Amino acid sequence: MSGIKVSVDRIQVGNYVKLPLGWCDHPFMFNNFKIDTQEKLLLIRKLGIAHVTVYPQRSDNGLLPPPLPNAAPQAECSAMRDVDIEQIKRELWERKQEKIEKLKSHRRKITKTEKNFQSAMIQVRSVMGKLSSRPLNAIDEAEQLIGDMVDSLLKEEHIVLHLMSETKENENIYYHSLNVSVLAMLVAKMKNLDADSIKTIGMGALFHDMGKLKVPPQILRKKTELTNVEQNFLKLHPKYGLDLVNLVNTFPDAAKAIIAQHHELLDGSGYPKGLKGNDIDLFTQLVSVVNKYDTLCHPNDVTKARVPSNALSWLYKNSANKYNQSDLKLLVKVLGIYPPGSVVRLSNDQIGLVLSVNSDRLLYPNILIYDVEVPRAEAPIIDLEERELSITGVIKPDKLPEHIYEYLNPRSRINYYFESAQNNN
């Protein structure tokens, strides 16, 4: 979209403009905005700038403003006598400062959530490291981790799901396990299941792929099609997983079905037993939907990775006979139409990265906005509803210009964690 340089004496209410100033050098919240009041128009003319850039396509009339008649300066002076420009300026600065403080608070919540996520990851690594040598300790640690998360989930009336940090190389199984466990428990909460059921789902989801620790790494990391022998070896991982948890008689029996059946499909085309429909455990059906979503986002071959919204769309179109559709709809309620990690284009043509979604406001996620005028560390995080904006499309990260990619820093690995009650203190 192209703009045209226009002198400030020609701009009018309804014009969409870009100010030729640094973000800290004016009282407006953004450098680009529509002039929606006469007071803002007069204030722009008092900023000491000669020109602004006008974008006709985003202006109300769609046309360049005409030259002002000779009488306009006198009319403007008359208007300014009736308006306290300095008061308006102070109010705008105060509002801008309030939003900056709100942004700082939001960033603090993200930082706390990040710390909780990293703490959970440390525990997951510890659990997996102890499974073979000290299985009793491993299960106890896992139950403590899941119990703490469920306690936090049940305290939260409104859940906010955040985009988290990158995965470390060769640790995909840990991040995948935590991702599936967190999302599955959130879906279970949406389903109004009780605390014990949510804990069972969390435990089963956390351990669902642990049998892969006994599968040769070259099979797990292979990007080309597996041979029949390799496929058969991989399909043994549910059995290997059961063998691991059966080393401890305290592992909940109800969670074992999730480990054993998470690759079974409703139409009978899954493995290892080719179970159909209601023969598949209901908790497992829930975890299977989440597991498939995360796998679509993070396949072995990264060139085949789907962006989060596309992964959800694919599931809707291709899973009717394979996955529980009720659970899929609840997963969408957890993730939002545009899940955290999605790079999106907005109705004002700005580009941003979805950072978090609120389960009560799915169409209005919090978005980190690309703005060349604002330092990356201070990049604005906006609320779409507050700005009266909407999402018009999703952009694949590899299609972004390099400077926007570096600014937004889209994750190659999408991880999620929820904002817990302690983040509100």
Side-chain angles (χ1 to χ4, degrees):
M1 186 180 63
S2 58
I4 301 172
K5 190 175 181 181
V6 177
S7 62
V8 293
D9 63 340
R10 291 183 62 194
I11 59 176
Q12 301 173 359
V13 173
N15 288 151
Y16 192 97
V17 299
K18 177 180 179 181
L19 303 179
L21 295 170
W23 190 60
C24 297
D25 298 328
H26 61 79
F28 300 103
M29 192 61 197
F30 294 92
N31 284 13
N32 310 303
F33 58 92
K34 185 183 289 184
I35 306 171
D36 55 6
T37 66
Q38 184 71 20
E39 289 78 13
K40 287 183 181 178
L41 174 63
L42 296 177
L43 184 53
I44 291 172
R45 289 178 178 160
K46 297 284 286 183
L47 289 176
I49 56 178
H51 298 85
V52 296
T53 301
V54 173
Y55 295 91
Q57 304 96 315
R58 284 155 71 177
S59 297
D60 282 349
N61 55 17
L63 301 171
L64 276 178
L68 292 174
N70 292 333
Q74 288 83 1
E76 183 176 309
C77 288
S78 176
M80 288 179 66
R81 280 196 294 270
D82 298 328
V83 175
D84 187 343
I85 292 296
E86 287 304 315
Q87 175 63 22
I88 293 171
K89 187 176 180 179
R90 283 194 298 273
E91 289 174 358
L92 284 174
W93 273 116
E94 288 172 3
R95 258 181 263 159
K96 186 171 184 175
Q97 194 57 44
E98 285 176 8
K99 290 189 176 182
I100 290 171
E101 289 303 317
K102 185 177 178 181
L103 176 60
K104 288 180 180 178
S105 174
H106 187 77
R107 289 185 184 279
R108 286 194 293 270
K109 286 183 178 181
I110 291 175
T111 299
K112 288 182 180 179
T113 304
E114 186 86 31
K115 288 180 180 177
N116 290 341
F117 172 75
Q118 293 298 340
S119 175
M121 272 307 307
I122 290 170
Q123 288 179 269
V124 171
R125 288 192 199 99
S126 174
V127 166
M128 303 317 167
K130 293 175 181 175
L131 257 182
S132 297
S133 58
R134 286 178 286 169
L136 182 59
N137 290 351
I139 301 304
D140 286 345
E141 279 188 33
E143 288 183 328
Q144 182 65 50
L145 170 62
I146 296 299
D148 289 345
M149 285 196 283
V150 171
D151 289 344
S152 293
L153 281 174
L154 295 179
K155 288 176 185 175
E156 290 289 318
E157 185 176 349
H158 307 297
I159 298 296
V160 179
L161 187 65
H162 290 277
L163 173 67
M164 288 290 102
S165 62
E166 300 278 354
T167 178
K168 293 183 179 179
E169 191 175 358
N170 299 330
E171 292 193 340
N172 278 350
I173 191 170
Y174 305 146
Y175 285 85
H176 172 67
S177 299
L178 183 57
N179 245 13
V180 174
S181 187
V182 167
L183 292 179
M185 286 191 290
L186 287 170
V187 173
K189 182 180 186 296
M190 283 277 185
K191 207 166 185 173
N192 295 317
L193 297 182
D194 59 53
D196 288 341
S197 295
I198 297 174
K199 288 177 183 177
T200 296
I201 287 170
M203 284 292 286
L206 189 66
F207 285 91
H208 79 281
D209 261 354
M210 289 310 100
K212 287 184 176 179
L213 295 174
K214 291 191 173 184
V215 176
Q218 58 268 31
I219 293 178
L220 297 177
R221 297 175 193 161
K222 189 174 180 181
K223 296 180 180 180
T224 56
E225 189 174 349
L226 297 180
T227 65
N228 288 336
V229 172
E230 290 169 335
Q231 285 179 344
N232 290 336
F233 207 141
L234 180 62
K235 287 180 178 180
L236 288 172
H237 78 267
K239 175 186 178 302
Y240 294 151
L242 274 178
D243 290 343
L244 284 170
V245 298
N246 279 333
L247 293 173
V248 180
N249 57 17
T250 58
F251 191 86
D253 287 334
K256 291 179 181 179
I258 296 172
I259 298 171
Q261 300 178 6
H262 67 277
H263 281 292
E264 302 286 2
L265 299 172
L266 296 179
D267 64 359
S269 63
Y271 67 86
K273 295 185 177 180
L275 299 178
K276 287 185 178 183
N278 293 332
D279 291 335
I280 302 171
D281 172 74
L282 290 177
F283 289 173
T284 304
Q285 292 182 33
L286 185 157
V287 173
S288 295
V289 171
V290 177
N291 181 50
K292 184 62 177 179
Y293 165 77
D294 198 65
T295 302
L296 287 170
C297 293
H298 308 112
N300 284 344
D301 184 354
V302 295
T303 64
K304 296 179 180 177
R306 296 175 183 271
V307 296
S309 59
N310 183 263
L312 287 178
S313 176
W314 185 95
L315 274 170
Y316 256 111
K317 293 175 182 176
N318 297 279
S319 70
N321 300 319
K322 297 180 183 295
Y323 297 98
N324 186 302
Q325 297 301 289
S326 174
D327 292 333
L328 176 55
K329 289 175 182 176
L330 290 174
L331 178 62
V332 174
K333 287 200 70 173
V334 167
L335 290 167
I337 308 300
Y338 304 99
S342 302
V343 178
V344 295
R345 185 181 300 278
L346 304 183
S347 52
N348 65 354
D349 281 340
Q350 285 185 292
I351 294 174
L353 178 72
V354 178
L355 288 185
S356 59
V357 293
N358 189 309
S359 58
D360 291 337
R361 299 168 63 250
L362 295 182
L363 294 177
Y364 302 106
N366 291 310
I367 297 180
L368 179 79
I369 294 294
Y370 168 74
D371 189 334
V372 69
E373 306 293 339
V374 181
R376 181 172 173 269
E378 301 171 8
I381 300 172
I382 69 167
D383 180 309
L384 287 187
E385 187 172 27
E386 187 178 291
R387 291 290 312 282
E388 296 183 346
L389 295 172
S390 59
I391 294 172
T392 60
V394 178
I395 303 172
K396 291 198 73 172
D398 59 6
K399 302 297 182 184
L400 289 172
E402 185 176 353
H403 61 288
I404 298 180
Y405 186 96
E406 291 178 356
Y407 189 100
L408 294 178
N409 188 29
R411 279 46 164 187
S412 57
R413 161 100 209 178
I414 310 286
N415 301 303
Y416 303 116
Y417 210 68
F418 60 92
E419 186 179 306
S420 66
Q422 63 179 318
N423 284 345
N424 298 322
N425 296 331

